[in-house]
Amino acid sequence: MGRRVDDATPFLPERRTLSALREAAAGCRGCHLWRPATQTVFGEGLKRARVMFVGEQPGDKEDLAGRPFVGPAGKELDKGLEAAGIARDEAYVTNVVKHFKFEERGRRRIHQTPKRFEIDACKPWLAEELHVVGPEALVLLGATAAKALMGSAFRLTRHRGELLDCELAPIVTATIHPSAILRQRDDPARAAEREAFADDLRVVAQALG
Ligand code: SF4
């Protein structure tokens, strides 16, 4: 018997609506990440959302709540959206990987970056979300999401905030993951990164018109 290939495809439902996809993803066993996590964290937002934001994976708070971008990074995303004038209900938010990958240190669960095979295994869910929502703008949050969709050679530091030539949506751009704001060393650095993030989102708002 050959080695089992990590892949979410066998778990995709017949009906490809957001609610059917969300329900099916709750039972996904396409890779090992479901095992230690609390639950699948599927994307959230309306089918008619104009902008889709794609992050890396759910964090500790999201894993417990079962909803994406509800923790500290989600609050930073909300601030950025507000500064750029993008209404939250115009946005669909999701991640390339739908289960929280972590390492236990005492009572804390520390985020671990997903590996390539885990990202590839989970990508069918994101492909379906993109297909169903068909956003006008796609915003990739952080290097993991950007590389997952733009290819491993993509350099976020070089192309951050640019409008990218990509077939996934009419408008595609990449910026930092909002958790990077929280990792800055002090308040002035956090404020500067927050403003730079808002600037990147303003590019999206302007392109949307
Ligand atoms: S991380 Fe993705 S592919 Fe792996 S079990 Fe979770 S939903 Fe399925």
Side-chain angles (χ1 to χ4, degrees), residues 79-99:
K79 283 181 200 167
L81 288 174
E82 200 182 332
I86 300 171
R88 180 71 198 237
D89 67 2
E90 279 188 332
Y92 183 95
V93 291
T94 192
N95 288 295
V96 283
V97 169
K98 309 295 197 237
H99 273 107

Side-chain angles (χ1 to χ4, degrees), residues 38-42 57-75 95 98 100 109 177:
T38 308
Q39 56 194 319
T40 304
V41 180
F42 201 70
Q57 62 164 346
D60 182 69
K61 294 273 190 303
E62 287 80 8
D63 168 80
L64 297 172
R67 297 179 55 205
F69 288 97
V70 292
K75 293 205 170 50
N95 288 295
K98 309 295 197 237
F100 178 35
R109 302 192 302 170
H177 191 282

Side-chain angles (χ1 to χ4, degrees), residues 12-201:
L12 293 175
E14 262 177 43
R15 279 179 63 237
R16 305 286 166 93
T17 62
L18 283 180
S19 56
L21 286 163
R22 181 176 295 110
E23 206 174 300
C28 184
R29 306 288 183 258
C31 78
H32 67 116
L33 290 179
W34 68 274
R35 219 174 264 279
T38 308
Q39 56 194 319
T40 304
V41 180
F42 201 70
E44 202 172 83
L46 297 176
K47 183 177 178 281
R48 58 164 181 76
R50 295 181 75 198
V51 194
M52 184 182 284
F53 289 90
V54 182
E56 180 193 86
Q57 62 164 346
D60 182 69
K61 294 273 190 303
E62 287 80 8
D63 168 80
L64 297 172
R67 297 179 55 205
F69 288 97
V70 292
K75 293 205 170 50
E76 289 297 339
L77 175 61
D78 287 345
K79 283 181 200 167
L81 288 174
E82 200 182 332
I86 300 171
R88 180 71 198 237
D89 67 2
E90 279 188 332
Y92 183 95
V93 291
T94 192
N95 288 295
V96 283
V97 169
K98 309 295 197 237
H99 273 107
F100 178 35
K101 184 179 181 186
F102 60 93
E103 174 187 19
E104 279 182 305
R105 273 192 223 149
R107 297 177 63 180
R108 293 182 65 209
R109 302 192 302 170
I110 309 296
H111 159 275
Q112 278 193 311
T113 304
K115 291 198 162 48
R116 186 81 226 177
F117 80 92
E118 294 154 344
I119 292 167
D120 288 345
C122 209
K123 254 165 110 179
W125 295 117
L126 179 60
E128 292 300 326
E129 289 174 295
L130 267 167
H131 182 70
V132 174
V133 177
E136 283 172 60
L138 175 66
V139 184
L140 309 172
L141 300 171
T144 302
K147 283 175 187 284
L149 289 170
M150 299 300 297
S152 55
F154 184 81
R155 292 287 167 267
L156 183 60
T157 42
R158 194 174 301 166
H159 298 292
R160 171 182 178 170
E162 286 178 12
L163 294 177
L164 304 167
D165 189 13
C166 170
E167 286 169 3
L168 293 170
I171 300 161
V172 179
T173 189
T175 179
I176 54 159
H177 191 282
S179 62
I181 299 168
L182 302 164
R183 286 199 301 272
Q184 299 299 310
R185 65 191 176 283
D186 54 24
D187 281 347
R190 275 187 285 278
E193 194 63 293
R194 193 172 286 130
E195 193 47 34
F197 180 58
D199 279 345
D200 291 343
L201 299 190

